[in-house]
Amino acid sequence: MAINIKYRPLKAFLLAVDTGSFTHAANHLGVTQPSFTALIQDLEEVLGLRLFERTTRSISLTSAGQDFYARVQRPIADLEEAYRSLADLAAVRRGNVALGALPSAALTLLPAATGTLRQAHPALKVRVVEAHNDELVALLRTNQIEFAVAAQAEPASDLTFTPLGEDCFCAVFPAGHPLGEAPGMLHWRDVLRYDLILLSQGSHARQQFDRAVRDEVGAPTTALRYDVTHMGTAAGMVRQGLGVSVLPRLALPELNLSGLLCTPLCDASARRYIGVLHRRDRTLSPAAQALVEQLETAMAHIQQRLLPLPPITADA
């Protein structure tokens, strides 16, 4: 037999037991006493049992009422806690966000975005995984992260990409280097003439470099002398005169570039879009959406500190 279970009569029953009075319980529930009595009667009618012994001055539980109270008290408390928990998540009062980010995005965007998020929603917890673009896609597809701050990759039917801003790669070289004296604008071909300090295989910067060099017709042979993992290491080695590096423009404001010059490359293949990547079949949690909003704001502010994007020109 199906039973029509309603929350409000159950809550009225529990309040009546806890307060020992229909009058006090009605006040807690915010209804008149006749309406409260009707809720109790409705519950007793559904159950087919009398739950209270009532006099003009007091109420007491029947044996059936005692048994019912023992059975429903905990489930109703758990249900109310579940509702409060979900309401907190919806209002971004608490929650956890696991995201992935390219090292350049993690270096510049994440500190600013999470700092602002912490002020607005101090109970939120954020876990950041720094990884290369291909690794971020794999983490998304296996649900290890909710979204990624990544470079736009090849279109995929299971993923959605929302741009945050355009970026480019820059030649980084010591003051007094011949690249600083070159007339006009720099291209891939210009940096290929010198020993290079590049980010390691697997990084998006390296993939874009390798692709550009591969597509260069008659590109000069370059001597790759150093292969490093961290952008700060590359900048330090450039400062020692060990070669020229190619680093993402987005990361430059957070690197120690003392004594170095940076010039954006003008090739179309030196451009990329940074944005939010997530699974098409998953809706971002309210906490994740709040963080994405802060990332958009952080990108708008950081763009003002970046080197201007050069016009895209062909290599003469």
Side-chain angles (χ1 to χ4, degrees), residues 16 28 38 42 46 49 56-57 83 93 111 128 146 188 203 210 217 222 229 236 250 283 287 297 303:
H28 277 287
D42 180 60
V46 169
L49 292 168
T56 56
R57 294 188 176 183
Y83 270 88
R93 286 189 289 265
V128 181
E146 192 170 355
W188 290 116
S203 67
D210 290 344
V217 178
T222 181
T229 302
L250 182 61
T283 300
T297 301
Q303 291 279 14

Side-chain angles (χ1 to χ4, degrees), residues 101-110 130 167 231 248 250-251 272 274:
L102 289 172
S104 56
L107 188 63
T108 53
L109 290 176
L110 264 297
E130 293 185 46
D167 193 27
M231 290 174 282
L250 182 61
R272 65 176 184 174
I274 300 295

Side-chain angles (χ1 to χ4, degrees), residues 6 9-10 13 38-49 51 68:
K6 298 178 181 178
L10 290 173
F13 168 74
L39 289 172
I40 298 298
Q41 291 172 342
D42 180 60
L43 180 60
E44 290 178 327
E45 183 178 342
V46 169
L47 295 174
L49 292 168
L51 299 174
F68 188 63

Side-chain angles (χ1 to χ4, degrees), residues 140 148 156-162 275-281:
L140 274 175
S157 61
D158 60 329
L159 300 176
T160 296
F161 181 81
T162 305
V276 174
L277 192 66
H278 69 93
R279 287 180 53 158
R280 193 179 298 275
D281 62 349

